[in-house]
Amino acid sequence: MDNFSRFEAASASDILSWAIDTFGDSFAIATSFQKEGMVILDLASRLSAGVRVFTLDTGRLPDETYRMMETVRQRYGIPVDIIFPERDEVEHLVAFHGPNLFYSSVQARQRCCDVRKVRPLERKLETLKAWATGLRRDQAETRAAISKVERGPTGRMKICPLADWSAARVEQYIAQHGVPVHPLYERGFTSIGCAPCTRAVQPGESERAGRWWWEEDAKKECGIHFAPDGSVARNIVEEAEPREMHKGFTVWFTGMSGAGKSTISRLLELKLRQHGARVEVLDGDIVRTHLSKGLGFSKEDRDENVRRIGFVCELLARHGVIAIAAAI
Ligand code: SF4
């Protein structure tokens, strides 16, 4: 059984030194260029010029964060690996839920964090044996029990060298060592994330009050660091997509009998349902046994069948359903 309690008494610098020596290139520092991340970066740069650093570019970051990436490159000469979300996942998210879905519900916000942050982080971590983050225990209730060093369920080491640091100690280190500070702190921000989800805090508010400020009771976490029980874990949102947030329209497959219209329709239906869409297939032959019972195969009867299918498709689409028609 692992016993990493020995690290509790170790300094942040000693822990980073151990991680760099032990894991080499399989160790990296994750940072969003907040004060804690910059302190870790500064400490690590004094130990190794080649320490690896990465950041997640969600596509919704404030301009000031990109300026910090440049500052780090210039000040420390450390290249920052910028990790992006999968384009297809973002396109799907935005197509079905809109670009600002995070304001509509906690679940929608977590879904956005999942696509733009959690999954990219997961992909990056698969390349590492150990990683460091700037979490501190007194930042939030959800962070009160973090360890300085712990092994995750997959065996990867998660290192929080500043776990027992206070905000004042972070400030002191920054002042002593001239560490670059994210410009948004000057404008009253105390925690910095994506532009639409972060605001400055008021005097007396908690450090993370400016994150997802419109949420009242939710834990202010994106799913990267904490499971719902407060233990340190990733928390990928598995919940199904809501079923009433896309527009209705009609897809019509036509062709001779045996051309594969029904098969293609069912495959498309399956795919769309996997993405949570509301779909109905109107197969010409099946419609004939219900809505068009009694119609034959003369040109007039075929036209009438198609007209009826079109009418139903239009009604379905008007009510937000994707109607797939498969008829000659
Ligand atoms: S912080 Fe906001 S914009 Fe950024 S990933 Fe989460 S919900 Fe999306």
Side-chain angles (χ1 to χ4, degrees):
M1 180 140 171
D2 295 325
N3 181 4
F4 298 120
S5 55
R6 68 184 188 278
F7 289 108
E8 281 306 310
S11 71
S13 187
D14 286 348
I15 293 172
L16 286 167
S17 177
W18 166 80
I20 292 167
D21 290 348
T22 306
F23 302 106
D25 273 355
S26 295
F27 167 72
I29 296 165
T31 180
S32 53
F33 308 101
Q34 298 185 70
K35 288 179 179 174
E36 289 78 7
M38 290 303 298
V39 167
I40 293 176
L41 208 152
D42 189 89
L43 283 166
S45 72
R46 294 164 194 271
L47 299 166
S48 164
V51 68
R52 293 181 66 191
V53 177
F54 73 93
T55 193
L56 304 176
D57 185 345
T58 61
R60 302 299 300 259
L61 298 178
D63 184 54
E64 289 83 352
T65 300
Y66 296 103
R67 290 191 346 232
M68 282 301 288
M69 291 182 203
E70 273 308 309
T71 302
V72 165
R73 287 163 61 91
Q74 285 166 15
R75 161 77 183 260
Y76 296 99
I78 296 174
V80 178
D81 285 346
I82 303 174
I83 313 301
F84 296 95
E86 287 289 328
R87 191 189 74 180
D88 287 354
E89 291 180 6
V90 174
E91 285 181 355
H92 168 76
L93 184 79
V94 171
F96 276 81
H97 305 290
N100 289 341
L101 71 160
F102 28 78
Y103 296 131
S104 62
S105 69
V106 173
Q107 289 76 18
R109 189 270 288 173
Q110 288 176 334
R111 186 175 295 115
C112 183
C113 284
D114 187 38
V115 166
R116 293 182 184 271
K117 291 183 179 180
V118 179
R119 293 187 200 188
L121 177 68
E122 179 184 47
R123 285 192 291 272
K124 177 64 182 174
L125 292 185
E126 279 168 8
T127 69
L128 299 173
K129 290 184 179 153
W131 63 302
T133 85
L135 302 186
R136 290 188 293 104
R137 288 175 188 145
D138 70 1
Q139 280 171 321
E141 257 177 56
T142 49
R143 300 183 175 186
I146 56 173
S147 303
K148 287 190 178 179
V149 177
E150 71 172 9
R151 191 187 297 280
T154 58
R156 187 174 302 107
M157 306 298 293
K158 182 171 178 180
I159 296 161
C160 303
L162 307 187
D164 59 352
W165 285 38
S166 63
R169 191 168 169 196
V170 172
E171 294 291 351
Q172 193 183 22
Y173 182 97
I174 286 171
Q176 267 175 358
H177 298 278
V179 177
V181 174
H182 197 297
L184 286 181
Y185 285 106
E186 260 193 2
R187 288 167 42 194
F189 288 68
T190 49
S191 178
I192 298 163
C194 293
C197 299
T198 315
R199 65 155 169 74
V201 300
Q202 302 300 317
E205 284 187 314
S206 75
E207 233 178 88
R208 287 180 65 77
R211 302 295 284 272
W212 308 296
W213 69 92
W214 61 90
E215 293 179 1
E216 292 193 346
D217 299 322
K219 286 191 168 67
K220 300 296 187 82
E221 301 290 353
C222 57
I224 288 179
H225 300 301
F226 292 88
D229 65 357
S231 61
V232 182
R234 284 183 61 260
N235 178 24
I236 288 204
V237 179
E238 300 288 2
E239 164 202 349
E241 306 274 356
R243 291 172 174 264
E244 52 287 312
M245 295 179 72
H246 60 75
K247 287 186 179 164
F249 54 89
T250 300
V251 181
W252 200 297
F253 293 107
T254 188
M256 299 305 288
S257 181
K261 302 182 293 295
S262 299
T263 308
I264 294 170
S265 298
R266 293 299 173 190
L267 283 173
L268 179 61
E269 178 193 26
L270 182 66
K271 281 281 173 202
L272 288 168
R273 285 193 192 281
Q274 283 170 346
H275 289 294
R278 301 167 69 202
V279 192
E280 289 298 339
V281 174
L282 285 99
D283 186 292
D285 290 338
I286 295 172
V287 172
R288 278 176 181 283
T289 64
H290 300 282
L291 185 67
S292 298
K293 195 170 183 180
L295 289 181
F297 291 89
S298 66
K299 182 173 183 316
E300 291 72 19
D301 281 357
R302 284 179 196 275
D303 287 349
E304 178 60 20
N305 191 35
V306 164
R307 194 191 64 73
R308 292 179 189 181
I309 292 172
F311 178 69
V312 176
C313 286
E314 191 188 333
L315 287 180
L316 289 170
R318 206 181 292 166
H319 291 276
V321 177
I322 299 172
I324 303 173
I328 296 174

